[in-house]
Amino acid sequence: MNLLKVDSEFFNAKDTLLCGQFFRYVLDIDGAYTVYSLNKRCKVYTIENFTYLESDDIDYFTEFFDLKNDYSKIYNDVLNFNDPFISHVATLSKGIRILKQNVIETALYFIISQNNNIKRIQNSVEKLCQGLGEKIECDGGSYYAFPTVKNLASASLDFYKSIGLGYRAEYIKGFAEMLNGGYNLDNLRALSTSEITSELLKIKGIGKKVADCITLFGFNRTDSFPVDTWIEKIYIQNLNGKQKDRVKISQELLNKFGNLSGYVQQYVFYYKRSLENK
DNA sequence: CCCCAGGAGAGTC
DNA sequence: GACTCTCATGGG
């Protein structure tokens, strides 16, 4: 077990995990979060001015949490838009880091996320891993890995319905069979963001919003601005938006924020979902 | 009973 | 291109 200690100003454990980009974490009794990704896990917690990362695979989670990226520069670039509302939410949410998640995990989780709520998504994700993932024994208990493509494809439609996916079960089943048949999402990495989006939209169950989440969190393309029901509300209430179609809203926000879109989107989303209600 | 959740697909015009 | 309806499921 290795330990990494970093300044917490631009890496806050709670803000990063609860801002809506990730679903597979548990808040422990001691206040630390246990995070699961693929077949790995880590503990992460913030105490005052420092955030601590504990894992057997520090390298993986250094990449996962994007720790080699300079978020002070990103933060200052966002402030330079000189938009009072955006600056306000950025200041409150600057501890967020955009995760660099495995692309298959990201795609599955965000297909599940459609017309759903975060609690239900988390429940389904956990049951998915418990039902199909490899059980990993280690000191301090055991946990389940994210399932292999083969296991995902071999699971029945009834299994997917049994973990609460509802009508999304058919989307997941179809996507799993597609992957098992040789479709490789990593082949899309050579393409531009808009080209990746176009390819993702060909997959049944993936629309514009889910595709934008996959490009942002799975392909680390920050020139993506996912627009869901919450962002739509913010766009109208706080940004004086006039468009009504979510695709057009996304394009307008992307035009405004460019390569900083992904960061701004998470700052704003987190603000709306939690910070506003304190 | 209603409405809503990190929407998308299919149908109609 | 544009609406509109429907799709499971749990919670408020």
Side-chain angles (χ1 to χ4, degrees):
Chain A
M1 187 71 68
N2 293 304
L3 175 65
L4 188 65
K5 177 181 176 182
V6 301
D7 193 295
S8 65
E9 182 177 10
F10 297 108
F11 181 22
N12 179 281
K14 179 181 177 182
D15 295 342
T16 295
L17 295 172
L18 272 66
C19 68
Q21 59 181 324
F22 187 66
F23 303 103
R24 205 172 174 219
Y25 60 84
V26 175
L27 176 59
D28 303 327
I29 298 172
D30 59 6
Y33 293 91
T34 301
V35 174
Y36 303 89
S37 173
L38 293 180
N39 61 345
K40 306 172 189 304
R41 73 172 178 180
C42 71
K43 285 188 79 144
V44 58
Y45 47 96
T46 298
I47 301 175
E48 297 181 351
N49 295 328
F50 295 98
T51 293
Y52 301 84
L53 179 60
E54 295 178 17
S55 177
D56 290 328
D57 198 335
I58 287 288
D59 288 346
Y60 178 82
F61 286 103
T62 295
E63 182 72 7
F64 182 83
F65 286 109
D66 198 22
L67 294 185
K68 293 180 180 176
N69 199 350
D70 181 5
Y71 276 65
S72 66
K73 173 171 169 39
I74 292 164
Y75 175 62
N76 284 313
D77 287 346
V78 170
L79 294 184
N80 282 335
F81 285 113
N82 289 316
D83 181 311
F85 174 72
I86 297 298
S87 294
H88 176 60
V89 299
T91 301
L92 292 174
S93 308
K94 62 184 179 179
I96 293 174
R97 303 191 80 87
I98 300 296
L99 301 179
K100 298 168 81 168
Q101 303 180 51
N102 173 266
V103 69
I104 295 177
E105 272 195 280
T106 309
L108 272 167
Y109 294 167
F110 279 94
I111 290 172
I112 293 172
S113 78
Q114 66 181 254
N115 199 27
N116 210 338
N117 62 61
I118 290 179
K119 197 63 203 172
R120 288 195 69 234
I121 298 165
Q122 289 182 315
N123 285 337
S124 292
V125 164
E126 204 50 45
K127 288 177 182 174
L128 176 78
C129 295
Q130 287 182 11
L132 302 178
E134 178 191 1
K135 188 173 186 178
I136 298 174
E137 305 281 356
C138 56
D139 43 310
S142 61
Y143 63 98
Y144 291 89
F146 182 75
T148 62
V149 165
K150 185 176 180 182
N151 278 3
L152 288 169
S154 64
S156 68
L157 185 60
D158 282 343
F159 168 79
Y160 287 119
K161 289 183 177 177
S162 76
I163 62 173
L165 298 190
Y167 69 91
R168 310 167 196 82
E170 294 185 13
Y171 298 156
I172 296 296
K173 176 68 174 165
F175 182 55
E177 289 176 347
M178 189 174 165
L179 293 171
N180 197 43
Y183 184 83
N184 189 351
L185 284 170
D186 285 318
N187 290 342
L188 303 180
R189 290 190 188 278
L191 304 177
S192 71
T193 302
S194 61
E195 287 170 338
I196 296 174
T197 302
S198 297
E199 289 303 309
L200 292 173
L201 289 175
K202 295 175 182 174
I203 300 170
K204 193 169 182 180
I206 297 180
K208 182 61 164 58
K209 187 270 171 183
V210 170
D212 286 341
C213 285
I214 298 170
T215 55
L216 177 55
F217 305 124
F219 289 97
N220 196 36
R221 301 299 176 96
T222 59
D223 53 336
S224 304
F225 209 116
V227 175
D228 69 329
T229 176
W230 295 102
I231 295 293
E232 183 179 5
K233 290 172 185 170
I234 294 164
Y235 170 80
I236 294 169
Q237 294 172 6
N238 303 100
L239 298 174
N240 197 28
K242 302 301 180 193
Q243 297 285 352
K244 296 191 174 178
D245 178 39
R246 288 186 185 178
V247 175
K248 289 182 177 175
I249 294 172
S250 177
Q251 188 60 53
E252 180 184 332
L253 294 170
L254 179 62
N255 290 343
K256 178 170 182 177
F257 295 109
N259 286 326
L260 294 169
S261 291
Y263 306 104
V264 171
Q265 200 268 0
Q266 284 304 105
Y267 290 157
V268 170
F269 181 83
Y270 185 52
Y271 169 81
K272 191 66 178 179
R273 286 298 322 280
S274 60
L275 297 173
E276 187 185 49
N277 300 323
K278 284 181 180 175

